[in-house]
Amino acid sequence: MRQQPVLSVISVIGTALAIFLIMVVVMLNQVSVAPFAPESNRDRFLHAKYGSIKMDDGGGNNYDSNGPYSYKSIESLYKNLKGAEATTAYTSYNISGNVNVVGEPPVKIDYIGTDADFWRVFDFTFIEGKPYDEAAVESGLPQAVITRGVARKVFGGTDVIGREIQLNYAPFTVVGVVEDVSTLATSAYAQVWIPFTVDHSSTSIWNGVMGTLSATILVKDGVSLEEVHEECQRKLDAYNKEQGPNNWNFVSRGRPYDQEANSVAFSSNNEPDVKGERRRRLIVYLILLIVPAVNLSSMTESRLRRRVSEIGVRRAFGSTRSAIIRQIIMENMAVTLLAGMVGLLMSVAFAYLADAMLFAQPFSSTLNPPKADVSMLLQWSTFLWALLFCFVLNLLSTGIPAWRASRTSVVNAISGRQN
Amino acid sequence: MNKKLITQICNEWKSNVWLAVELLIVSVVMWYICDYMYVRFANYFDNRGFDIEHCYLIEIDNLTEQSPYFVENQTYEMALADKEELLERLARRPEIEAAAYSNNSYPYNGSNSGISMVLDTMYTYGYVIRRSVTPDYMKVFRYEGANGETPEQLAEMIRRGEILTSEELLAHYGKNMKEFVGQEAFLDRDTVTHHRIGAAIKKVRYTDWQDWGMNQTIVLLLEDLNYGNECVVRVKDNMDKNFRENLMAVSGKELRVGNLYIRDVKSLADLRDNFQRSSTLAIRNYLTGMGFLMLNVFLGLLGAFWFRTQQRVKEIAIRKVSGATRRSVFMRFIGEGVLILSVVTLPAIALDFWIAKSGLNAWFNNEYLNWDRLLICAAVSYLIILIMIVVGIAIPANRAMKTEPAEALHDE
């Protein structure tokens, strides 16, 4: 490397740049599927954010409608599943509201209404107190769980269990304080959580079966998502039977979705195109790998030309072709890994510093910008991906030049001629 | 000279093949991105039909029973009167220019209601957005009449119960709605109630970046205020500082009427950014991709020519000794890069054509393949890559030329 500093520096920059950009793309995808608190069980989640219903009125007219569910529908369709640890129902979108203590100016917050299972499905870190329980939800007690940030803004501290806040001019008792949640935890995110039975926008119902709630199922450890999926389908058929043929009937559209499908399910009336999304990502990865690989391989070739005589000497002393190829690839792998580390570090730093801009979510129900921390960005899978991409990039960029270099005949090689 | 250049390229063909392959891939991807940007920006600079500057959405909600201020046993009429009173209080505030209620209507909304219209024997085609509004809505968003009607005039028409329709509502019959102003039409499947067409209005765009075919609208009076799920206001140009904070600060005392209270105030600009995020994110990603490819072309050429010019220091020296100017030697190296780029541009355009023919690129004006657009975008991508080539080659070539001929040749 030291012999050709400029070429080496360019190769390292090129490799680092490629790995940097690829890892940013990986992270963009990762924040929506990889686990982090309070959505640490994303691999065991099944989501039903929206439902779809249709009706045949018997007179040849067909109607259809899409949107969040009523509580009764969620209870009938997704609760009490054999394969599930728990199922939670919560307001489908964040509602912006005001909290304050009487007499103080209002603080703008995002809130949602939830049932008690919400706190079992999502793993929040409680700093103070505990969540509201089933009894509180059933009897509609005005209790609230708030984040550390809200507690600080409203009370100036977190030791606030039992104190009263005004949420939209109605009094609530604070029962728990949790760590702030990133908006990237798209299902669990809010700043204030209250029993959904206290909030009229969470209990409103339309078309009899629809409302404003979404469901997330936490599948039992060891039970496959497919099993629960089938169970849900059976429940849906039973619920439709209950409704009667000339009433609103649910259409599954493949619901409930796993985390990946849910992250690309933007409209309630279309099934998410998971395969298409994967294909698009693959094309992006390919372009990001092939263009720099072509570049780097022309540089590797230049570098190898200077070493033809060395290769010739080795071959003359009995080194096999494959040994030479292996050696060249391994040498380059060291450079690639070094550059890959630089690229990975750059991408993590960039993602951390520019999180609000980078991870801004489409169709978000909150205007608050997303926050990413290192625990979200640096997962084991991140390293594996980076390593894999380095390996592929290295193989692509040195494979062909190394193979060609190894084929140079001994005499030509030593005399400095190629081929 | 050109013959020599080609000979030289042939001599270096092995590394030039790499370069050509790279430039081919980059040309096609670059064209794709240019095409995408062309379409997005062409849409972006098209007329929107409304103005959201200084506009805010006031989110109004009802108190819950838990609130000590909750008024029990309210009748429908009382709720209606409260709603009217709240709008009046808002409109009376010195910083507010106009205030209105509407239903699924404000720009960048995402929630829509549909409507259809029958005029004589002509029917509307596709999705037409129903915008039920109180008259001042026209002043809040400054809708524009196709015949130059002012927002005030349009508001007056709404007040009279007339309907306003997009100009292109019957474009599929080759008609402009301006021809039918003053005539009566039926809405939806109702064949009893006549609606007088007050004016044709300019296209009201659904998004800034895309053309979703959601630009047709019929605006009509919101008859029952209780269905007005949105409250929108326009703030006077010079009083738009801290509007949200100031309004929220007094909202508890001055703007709570009956069971109604203001939950939040959002600027339309924020709502727009959120609504269009998927488009702006895509544009950001494509631009990043473009920058990445440009850097790669630059680095690739820098690397390739660094080595090449080093090898050719002697050749350069001989040329210089035989009277070649700096410029001519320089042009020779650049010419090599440009020639390779030009050669791969032809197959690149063929690939571009194939992509457009298969409908894999951006959609604009009802087509994927448009020769003008294709060639313009191919030319732009050619120029961008050309700049990278010149910069990438100039640096090593310049360095090689600095070597004095005597020094370069003293081995010989």
Side-chain angles (χ1 to χ4, degrees):
Chain A
M1 274 186 79
R2 290 219 185 107
Q3 286 174 0
Q4 290 156 350
V6 178
L7 278 185
S8 299
V9 166
I10 293 176
S11 317
V12 170
I13 292 177
T15 312
L17 194 73
I19 296 294
F20 163 69
L21 211 61
I22 289 173
M23 290 320 292
V24 169
V25 178
V26 168
M27 283 174 189
L28 274 178
N29 175 47
Q30 189 167 271
V31 292
S32 56
V33 293
F36 56 85
E39 298 187 358
S40 303
N41 295 314
R42 279 179 165 184
D43 53 336
R44 290 197 283 139
F45 281 168
L46 282 174
H47 300 276
K49 188 168 173 58
Y50 301 118
S52 304
I53 49 175
K54 64 164 191 199
M55 179 167 68
D56 181 353
D57 66 356
N61 291 318
N62 286 302
Y63 302 94
D64 62 80
S65 186
N66 305 279
Y69 302 82
S70 70
Y71 186 73
K72 185 173 165 277
S73 295
I74 288 185
E75 206 175 20
S76 312
L77 292 169
Y78 304 117
K79 285 229 171 195
N80 304 314
L81 295 163
K82 280 192 213 87
E85 219 169 285
T87 300
T88 171
Y90 52 93
T91 321
S92 184
Y93 47 89
N94 269 274
I95 310 167
S96 49
N98 303 291
V99 290
N100 60 330
V101 284
V102 180
E104 295 291 319
V107 173
K108 181 188 158 128
I109 50 101
D110 295 322
Y111 74 95
I112 57 173
T114 78
D115 58 6
D117 282 328
F118 187 79
W119 307 103
R120 289 174 62 198
V121 172
F122 300 111
D123 55 321
F124 285 88
T125 315
F126 276 82
I127 312 168
E128 301 279 344
K130 56 181 178 25
Y132 39 83
D133 55 19
E134 207 127 340
V137 175
E138 241 162 68
S139 45
L141 291 184
Q143 299 186 336
V145 172
I146 63 177
T147 59
R148 182 198 284 269
V150 172
R152 283 237 181 90
K153 265 193 215 152
V154 176
F155 296 106
T158 56
D159 187 18
V160 295
I161 301 305
R163 295 197 46 188
E164 189 183 283
I165 49 162
Q166 299 273 314
L167 170 63
N168 295 337
Y169 304 105
F172 280 78
T173 311
V174 178
V175 294
V177 179
V178 294
E179 287 291 355
D180 288 351
V181 178
S182 169
T183 55
L184 294 172
T186 42
S187 305
Y189 167 78
Q191 293 168 307
V192 172
W193 297 263
I194 57 173
F196 80 95
T197 43
V198 204
D199 184 49
H200 57 95
S201 47
S202 302
T203 47
S204 63
I205 289 177
W206 45 282
N207 287 345
V209 290
M210 302 302 255
T212 53
L213 301 175
S214 295
T216 295
I217 302 164
L218 178 62
V219 175
K220 272 184 194 153
D221 235 341
V223 177
S224 74
L225 299 186
E226 288 72 33
E227 258 171 76
V228 177
H229 210 272
E230 278 163 26
E231 200 182 344
C232 288
Q233 186 60 45
R234 287 196 293 276
K235 283 209 155 205
L236 185 132
D237 294 339
Y239 191 50
N240 281 345
K241 212 172 253 174
E242 208 178 290
Q243 302 294 324
N246 290 342
N247 231 321
W248 287 108
N249 272 202
F250 274 92
V251 188
S252 93
R253 293 200 207 284
R255 294 187 184 97
Y257 301 137
D258 64 13
Q259 184 69 30
E260 186 184 4
N262 193 54
S263 72
V264 294
F266 290 126
S267 61
S268 50
N269 51 347
N270 292 307
E271 238 179 273
D273 181 13
V274 177
K275 272 192 193 150
E277 203 59 42
R278 282 190 186 160
R279 195 172 50 230
R280 271 189 282 283
R281 224 166 29 234
L282 187 69
I283 292 176
V284 170
Y285 288 148
L286 281 180
I287 291 175
L288 292 184
L289 277 173
I290 289 176
V291 173
V294 171
N295 240 342
L296 293 170
S297 71
S298 79
M299 266 177 263
T300 315
E301 181 120 15
S302 304
R303 266 212 310 261
L304 285 180
R305 272 203 220 172
R306 294 252 167 129
R307 291 179 48 188
V308 215
S309 44
E310 177 203 325
I311 293 167
V313 173
R314 275 191 208 199
R315 294 263 287 127
F317 279 95
S319 174
T320 61
R321 271 182 198 163
S322 60
I324 285 177
I325 295 181
R326 218 175 314 132
Q327 196 214 351
I328 295 172
I329 289 183
M330 287 320 281
E331 269 178 31
N332 261 284
M333 193 66 197
V335 180
T336 314
L337 281 180
L338 177 82
M341 271 314 288
V342 175
L344 181 63
L345 284 178
M346 269 161 60
S347 65
V348 173
F350 178 74
Y352 183 69
L353 295 174
D355 54 356
M357 186 270 286
L358 190 67
F359 298 115
Q361 300 289 303
F363 308 107
S364 166
S365 67
T366 172
L367 295 177
N368 286 344
K371 282 217 68 64
D373 60 43
V374 177
S375 73
M376 277 179 219
L377 301 172
L378 274 184
Q379 313 252 349
W380 280 113
S381 59
T382 324
F383 285 108
L384 288 179
W385 279 110
L387 206 63
L388 175 77
F389 283 124
C390 280
F391 185 72
V392 175
L393 188 62
N394 182 48
L395 211 61
L396 282 175
S397 65
T398 50
I400 298 175
W403 177 74
R404 278 161 40 97
S406 72
R407 274 166 45 102
T408 317
S409 75
V410 180
V411 180
N412 281 343
I414 297 179
S415 71
R417 262 180 290 151
Q418 260 205 319
N419 293 340
Chain B
M1 151 102 184
N2 280 337
K3 206 174 154 196
K4 271 189 210 150
L5 188 59
I6 290 166
T7 321
Q8 198 154 37
I9 289 177
C10 289
N11 287 342
E12 299 262 1
W13 75 270
K14 259 174 220 140
S15 53
N16 281 336
V17 165
W18 286 120
L19 208 60
V21 169
E22 183 183 355
L23 289 179
L24 180 65
I25 300 173
V26 170
S27 289
V28 175
V29 178
M30 209 64 120
W31 165 81
Y32 182 88
I33 297 174
C34 284
D35 184 68
Y36 183 87
M37 292 298 154
Y38 177 101
V39 169
R40 287 293 172 273
F41 281 91
N43 275 316
Y44 189 76
F45 291 114
D46 192 15
N47 189 23
R48 306 248 154 82
F50 57 84
D51 173 17
I52 60 152
E53 216 188 335
H54 310 299
C55 289
Y56 291 85
L57 175 73
I58 314 278
E59 291 189 350
I60 297 175
D61 206 345
N62 284 290
L63 293 174
T64 52
E65 288 162 34
Q66 286 86 11
S67 172
Y69 311 105
F70 184 73
V71 183
E72 281 178 48
N73 304 323
Q74 257 205 337
T75 61
Y76 197 81
E77 286 70 32
M78 285 160 75
L80 202 65
D82 287 346
K83 211 145 185 196
E84 235 165 285
E85 170 65 19
L86 180 54
L87 189 66
E88 270 165 38
R89 282 194 202 176
L90 280 170
R92 273 202 301 270
R93 293 192 65 79
E95 71 271 26
I96 290 180
E97 192 175 300
Y101 285 127
S102 55
N103 182 295
N104 292 354
S105 297
Y106 67 83
Y108 313 112
N109 187 319
S111 287
N112 329 295
S113 305
I115 193 170
S116 61
M117 183 190 77
V118 184
L119 184 74
D120 284 338
T121 54
M122 293 182 288
Y123 293 81
T124 49
Y125 176 78
Y127 197 79
V128 182
I129 297 178
R130 166 200 287 266
R131 289 192 162 90
S132 310
V133 305
T134 59
D136 278 4
Y137 178 92
M138 309 311 284
K139 294 191 220 163
V140 171
F141 292 117
R142 294 190 174 154
Y143 273 35
E144 299 161 38
N147 281 324
E149 292 92 340
T150 62
E152 286 73 20
Q153 287 170 324
L154 295 175
E156 201 43 52
M157 291 169 196
I158 293 285
R159 200 182 309 279
R160 289 200 296 262
E162 296 174 351
I163 61 169
L164 309 176
T165 71
S166 310
E167 244 183 313
E168 72 278 22
L169 214 52
L170 295 175
H172 49 290
Y173 292 106
K175 308 272 189 196
N176 187 310
M177 283 304 292
K178 282 197 270 189
E179 298 171 37
F180 304 106
V181 171
Q183 294 196 20
E184 309 262 325
F186 294 114
L187 296 180
D188 289 331
R189 293 174 192 176
D190 180 359
T191 51
V192 181
T193 323
H194 294 265
H195 297 270
R196 187 172 187 275
I197 298 169
I201 53 174
K202 285 196 182 149
K203 186 201 277 183
V204 177
R205 293 271 303 279
Y206 193 67
T207 66
D208 290 352
W209 299 100
Q210 271 156 304
D211 184 7
W212 277 1
M214 293 275 277
N215 299 336
Q216 305 188 84
T217 188
I218 293 177
V219 190
L220 63 168
L221 183 65
L222 174 72
E223 305 214 345
D224 185 342
L225 286 193
N226 275 336
Y227 283 103
N229 60 352
E230 308 157 347
C231 176
V232 286
V233 299
R234 165 173 291 278
V235 177
K236 286 178 186 149
D237 296 6
N238 53 352
M239 298 177 92
D240 196 3
K241 211 176 161 216
N242 299 331
F243 170 72
R244 185 188 176 273
E245 289 71 19
N246 297 341
L247 195 79
M248 285 313 291
V250 299
S251 68
K253 287 198 184 79
E254 298 173 24
L255 296 168
R256 221 184 47 232
V257 187
N259 282 336
L260 297 175
Y261 71 94
I262 295 179
R263 214 180 50 206
D264 196 11
V265 175
K266 286 175 176 158
S267 84
L268 257 293
D270 284 347
L271 291 168
R272 173 195 58 199
D273 294 347
N274 192 39
F275 179 68
Q276 309 202 123
R277 187 136 294 145
S278 55
S279 294
T280 43
L281 287 181
I283 289 168
R284 177 201 72 189
N285 294 348
Y286 278 118
L287 285 177
T288 312
M290 205 164 173
F292 173 77
L293 291 179
M294 280 160 71
L295 246 165
N296 261 293
V297 172
F298 169 71
L299 285 178
L301 287 159
L302 192 66
F305 277 81
W306 194 273
F307 183 73
R308 236 180 255 188
T309 45
Q310 265 178 0
Q311 271 197 328
R312 291 205 213 147
V313 169
K314 288 175 190 165
E315 175 199 326
I316 295 172
I318 291 174
R319 279 181 201 285
K320 275 169 102 178
V321 171
S322 1
T325 59
R326 253 178 87 82
R327 201 162 160 261
S328 69
V329 178
F330 213 67
M331 290 313 285
R332 197 167 186 84
F333 281 108
I334 305 253
E336 199 173 325
V338 173
L339 195 68
I340 297 173
L341 175 66
S342 305
V343 167
V344 300
T345 293
L346 284 175
I349 289 178
L351 278 172
D352 301 346
F353 172 78
W354 175 76
I355 290 174
K357 186 96 184 151
S358 321
L360 297 172
N361 60 333
W363 183 79
F364 185 56
N365 283 343
N366 299 321
E367 55 190 356
Y368 289 104
L369 175 61
N370 173 304
W371 272 107
D372 290 347
R373 192 174 108 206
L374 191 142
L375 291 177
I376 290 173
C377 294
V380 170
S381 73
Y382 179 89
L383 278 177
I384 294 174
I385 303 172
L386 188 69
I387 294 170
M388 290 298 116
I389 289 182
V390 171
V391 180
I393 296 179
I395 296 172
N398 204 20
R399 190 171 159 276
M401 267 184 308
K402 275 194 189 136
T403 320
E404 283 300 314
E407 203 172 305
L409 295 170
H410 79 269
D411 289 351
E412 304 289 316

